Amino acid sequence: MIVGGLTLALTALAVQLHIGIPGADSTQIADIAHAAAGPGWLYDAFQLTSSLLLLAAASSSFQAGPGLLKALSGTLERPGVLPPVLGRTNRHHTPYWSVVVYLAAAAVIIVAAAGQEQELVLFYAVAVFVSFLVGLLAMTRFARTERKPALAWLNGVAAAAVAFTLVVNLLRGWPVLSLVATLLIAAGLYVRWNRAGRPTGIEDVEAQAEAA
C-alpha cells in the first residue's frame, strides 16, 4: 500500500506538472520537486533529504548483506553453506570479510554501469522483483499449507502483479543479465547447500553467531 500509494501519487504529480522522462543528469522525482518548489532553498532541502535517505538505504544494505553472508557461513556447531571465513568478526561483531566481499560486488556493479543510476535501476529492479516474487510464492504456499485461503489468494494475486512487472522490465533487454546473475547465484547457493548436507535453521545460526 505504501509503495503503491507513493507510485500513484508521484505519477499524478508528474502528469499535473507535465513532467516527462528525466534527462541524463536528473531523475523524475527531482524534476517533480523542481517543478513544484522552484530552484530555491526548498528544492535544495528536498535534494539533501533524498540524498540522506539513499545514504541510509545504502547503510542498511551494508548491514543486511554481510549479515546474511555471515549467517550462511555457519558456526562451529553447525555446517554452513558459505566458507567459514565469511563468519569471522571483529570486537564490534562486524563480519569484516563479508563486508569486503559485499563492497567488491557493489564496486563491480557500479563500474559496469559506469555510475549511471538510470542503468543501475534497470538491473536493481529485476533483482528486487525476483525476490518479491519468490517471497510471495512462498507465502502463498505457506498460506495454503495453513489452510488460509484468503491469504493464499491475496498473496497469489500479488505474485501475479509482481510477475507482470518483472516481465515488463525484462522486455527492455539488458535487465535479463540481472535475472541470469540472480539465477546463477541461487544455483550456486543450492549446490553448496546440498554439499553441506542441506543444513536448516539459518535464523538459529545467526542467533548463535551473535551469542558467540
Side-chain angles (χ1 to χ4, degrees), residues 57-162:
S59 176
S60 64
S61 70
F62 267 90
Q63 295 178 40
L68 176 61
L69 297 181
K70 174 186 173 184
L72 291 176
S73 67
T75 63
L76 294 176
E77 293 79 13
R78 291 173 178 264
V81 177
L82 298 178
V85 66
L86 295 176
R88 295 179 183 175
T89 59
N90 57 20
R91 61 190 182 91
H92 300 292
H93 306 289
T94 300
Y96 46 89
W97 283 116
S98 291
V99 173
V100 171
V101 170
Y102 203 77
L103 178 62
V108 169
I109 294 173
I110 292 174
V111 171
Q116 297 294 323
E117 76 281 356
Q118 297 300 321
E119 298 293 332
L120 288 170
V121 165
L122 293 177
F123 296 93
Y124 169 79
V126 170
V128 169
F129 285 122
V130 168
S131 300
F132 286 170
L133 180 60
V134 173
L136 287 167
L137 291 175
M139 288 190 289
T140 302
R141 180 181 178 184
F142 179 75
R144 292 180 60 186
T145 303
E146 294 291 310
R147 296 182 179 180
K148 297 180 179 179
L151 287 178
W153 273 102
L154 178 62
N155 288 313
V157 172
V162 171

Side-chain angles (χ1 to χ4, degrees), residues 5 20 25 28 31 33 35 40 48 55 60 81-82 87 142 152 157-158 162-163 174 186 190 206 209 211:
D25 58 346
Q28 189 176 55
D31 288 349
L48 177 61
L55 182 62
S60 64
V81 177
L82 298 178
F142 179 75
V157 172
V162 171
W174 284 110
Y190 181 76
E206 178 66 10

